[in-house]
Amino acid sequence: MVEAQNQNACPDYPKGKVSHGKPRPPLTVRISRKIRQVQGNRLYHKHSLEAVPTQLGLCMSNLCNLKCVYCMREKFKPPQGMMKLEQVKSLLKKMPYINGVCIMGLCEPFLNPETSNVCRWLKDEGKYSISITTNGMVDLDEDKLDALLRADDMVFSIDTCAPETFKYLRGGADLKRVISNMERLIRYKKDRGLKKMDNPPIHINAVVTSKNFHQIPDLIKMLEAYADDLNYLMVDPVTRPDYQDFEEPLMLHREEFDKHIEEYRRLAKKSPMKIVGFDYMLKESRNWKDCHLTWDGMFIEPNGDAYFCYNYEYVIGNVFKDDPLKVWNSDKAKEFRKQLLTENPPLKQCQCCDFARRGWQVKGAYTRDQQDVGAPTQAT
């Protein structure tokens, strides 16, 4: 009943033919966006306090169907509301400098009945690059699967192959249901003759804690059955300053890490799966002054509040009330960038964030030459 009500709440958007050759915007739009991108890159490389964003992160609602034990939602409550398609259109009309859109945040995007139509509009009409992350607990019906063919990067969150551990870490999630949704998307692509890197290329994100660190080999083994269909596996530790409230019992202790990490790196090297993250896990980040997200990527809550990356409480303005470029260059935004240029970054998270690592600043990809590391590209 709820599903039917949600479908009726949003007017149907035409499901036009999808070009899997990564369709390009018209020439005039490409030139305009390129000029803006050059402007933004110049300001970024100069470490100017002013900036032009070229990537936009959209949190589609304040709703999530899980209570992950390590999630920041346990401290920060997102503003009430749903992002509407007309709001997205209006917002991007005011932001001609945006090239790509990432649909993510402290929510499950598919709890918003308009998310599928937003994806279609972003790709079919806006010609934006799109990334989307899901916890996999909302069933992917025909409408959602069709919309996902527009995504340039698709992320499923799967921390472990152990159902009970998965249920605990993901706050009630059902591993079997998540895998079923992933398989449904893989079949949907294959039925249309699409290959691994055709839209949407799929990767898995695994948050690593003390509860699932020893299960990583089995997770790799489980995912290797899908090696021909998945782009890569990203492992990301929960033991870092932004998760300080969850140090115990989730903290991954250094002695356990050191005891097993070489074994895991050897597994990653031999695996037919591309596995990202083992070489820098638990290593301090120091290059926060070159974090391009603070110059390049604006994140928006469903009520229009704008913020930097994952600092949800540091609202720099509201894009539904003021010009987005003015918000991005507000006094609070400039102060944040100014502090990034010091030895004391604005967030504890900066000291461990991947985007504060050398090599992550180029298109959001970690490019250092490590045998167990791929170079995933991201839309933001």
Side-chain angles (χ1 to χ4, degrees):
M1 180 65 72
V2 173
E3 182 70 22
Q5 290 172 346
N6 284 344
Q7 289 178 352
N8 292 333
C10 180
D12 190 37
Y13 189 88
K15 299 176 179 60
K17 183 178 179 180
V18 180
S19 171
H20 300 290
K22 303 206 181 284
R24 304 175 73 191
L27 179 61
T28 54
V29 175
R30 295 205 306 271
I31 292 174
S32 175
R33 290 180 183 174
K34 185 64 176 178
I35 291 172
R36 297 286 190 169
Q37 189 173 31
V38 169
Q39 291 174 337
N41 287 341
R42 188 170 296 169
L43 292 170
Y44 162 59
H45 288 298
K46 288 174 61 179
H47 294 112
S48 168
L49 297 186
E50 295 187 341
V52 175
T54 60
Q55 307 293 328
L56 185 66
L58 295 179
C59 184
M60 295 302 296
S61 82
N62 67 302
L63 302 177
C64 188
N65 48 351
L66 302 179
K67 289 184 66 105
C68 301
V69 292
Y70 47 69
C71 182
M72 286 171 276
R73 284 179 65 99
E74 298 305 299
K75 281 183 58 179
F76 174 75
K77 301 304 179 185
Q80 295 284 320
M82 294 271 190
M83 186 75 72
K84 303 294 185 182
L85 175 60
E86 291 306 316
Q87 288 176 309
V88 175
K89 290 181 180 180
S90 176
L91 178 59
L92 285 166
K93 186 176 181 180
K94 295 186 289 185
M95 303 178 76
Y97 32 83
I98 295 297
N99 287 303
V101 177
C102 179
I103 297 176
M104 59 171 293
L106 294 180
C107 71
E108 166 49 49
F110 284 119
L111 292 179
N112 183 334
E114 297 208 30
T115 294
S116 293
N117 284 342
V118 167
C119 288
R120 292 188 187 95
W121 182 86
L122 286 171
K123 179 62 70 178
D124 297 351
E125 295 191 34
K127 309 300 182 186
Y128 297 99
S129 64
I130 309 172
S131 174
I132 186 167
T133 298
T134 177
N135 60 37
M137 281 294 290
V138 175
D139 289 340
L140 297 182
D141 56 19
E142 178 78 20
D143 177 66
K144 296 178 181 65
L145 291 167
D146 174 81
L148 286 174
L149 295 184
R150 276 78 173 171
D152 301 283
D153 184 41
M154 171 71 192
V155 186
F156 282 96
S157 299
I158 304 177
D159 298 340
T160 176
C161 65
E164 287 305 312
T165 308
F166 186 79
K167 184 177 181 179
Y168 166 72
L169 290 175
R170 287 278 162 185
D174 180 351
L175 179 61
K176 184 176 180 180
R177 184 174 181 181
V178 175
I179 295 297
S180 176
N181 273 312
M182 183 187 76
E183 291 177 340
R184 195 173 298 160
L185 178 56
I186 290 171
R187 287 196 304 271
Y188 196 77
K189 288 181 63 176
K190 287 183 174 180
D191 288 347
R192 284 148 184 78
L194 302 177
K195 298 180 180 179
K196 176 165 71 173
M197 296 310 294
D198 289 325
N199 283 9
I202 306 165
H203 84 258
I204 306 301
N205 186 71
V207 177
V208 180
T209 72
S210 62
K211 298 295 186 182
N212 64 329
F213 181 65
H214 293 287
Q215 298 167 352
I216 285 178
D218 289 332
L219 174 64
I220 293 174
K221 184 177 180 180
M222 180 187 79
L223 293 177
E224 283 178 347
Y226 308 94
D228 293 336
D229 305 301
L230 299 178
N231 189 6
Y232 60 94
L233 165 66
M234 166 75 81
V235 290
D236 191 27
V238 77
T239 304
R240 45 192 214 184
D242 51 320
Y243 292 114
Q244 58 186 324
D245 290 345
F246 307 108
E247 287 184 353
E248 297 291 355
L250 300 182
M251 186 172 74
L252 176 58
H253 292 281
R254 172 62 67 174
E255 57 268 24
E256 284 300 303
F257 174 81
D258 290 340
K259 189 185 302 182
H260 296 281
I261 189 59
E262 288 305 320
E263 171 196 349
Y264 292 178
R265 286 171 177 163
R266 287 194 295 270
L267 282 175
K269 183 180 179 181
K270 295 178 181 178
S271 178
M273 282 278 298
K274 185 191 297 182
I275 301 172
V276 183
F278 282 138
D279 72 317
Y280 50 84
M281 188 184 292
L282 297 194
K283 287 187 178 180
E284 187 181 53
S285 306
R286 293 289 304 171
N287 204 39
W288 48 76
K289 70 179 179 64
D290 287 329
C291 173
H292 73 86
L293 286 182
T294 314
W295 278 265
D296 194 45
M298 181 189 290
F299 289 78
I300 307 295
E301 292 284 2
N303 70 338
D305 283 350
Y307 60 97
F308 288 117
C309 59
Y310 303 107
N311 190 16
Y312 300 97
E313 296 175 306
Y314 193 87
V315 177
I316 59 175
N318 189 290
V319 296
F320 294 158
K321 298 176 182 178
D322 296 306
D323 179 85
L325 197 57
K326 181 179 177 181
V327 169
W328 197 235
N329 290 287
S330 65
D331 290 342
K332 285 189 71 173
K334 292 178 181 178
E335 181 58 35
F336 193 95
R337 296 186 192 104
K338 184 177 180 180
Q339 196 172 344
L340 273 181
L341 304 180
T342 72
E343 290 299 311
N344 298 303
L347 300 174
K348 287 185 177 181
Q349 177 179 322
C350 297
Q351 300 180 36
C352 56
C353 180
D354 288 336
F355 288 95
R357 301 183 191 281
R358 292 193 182 279
W360 272 89
Q361 283 77 39
V362 182
K363 296 183 180 178
Y366 190 77
T367 57
R368 204 170 69 184
D369 185 18
Q370 297 287 338
Q371 61 186 14
D372 63 324
V373 173
T377 58
Q378 299 180 3
T380 64

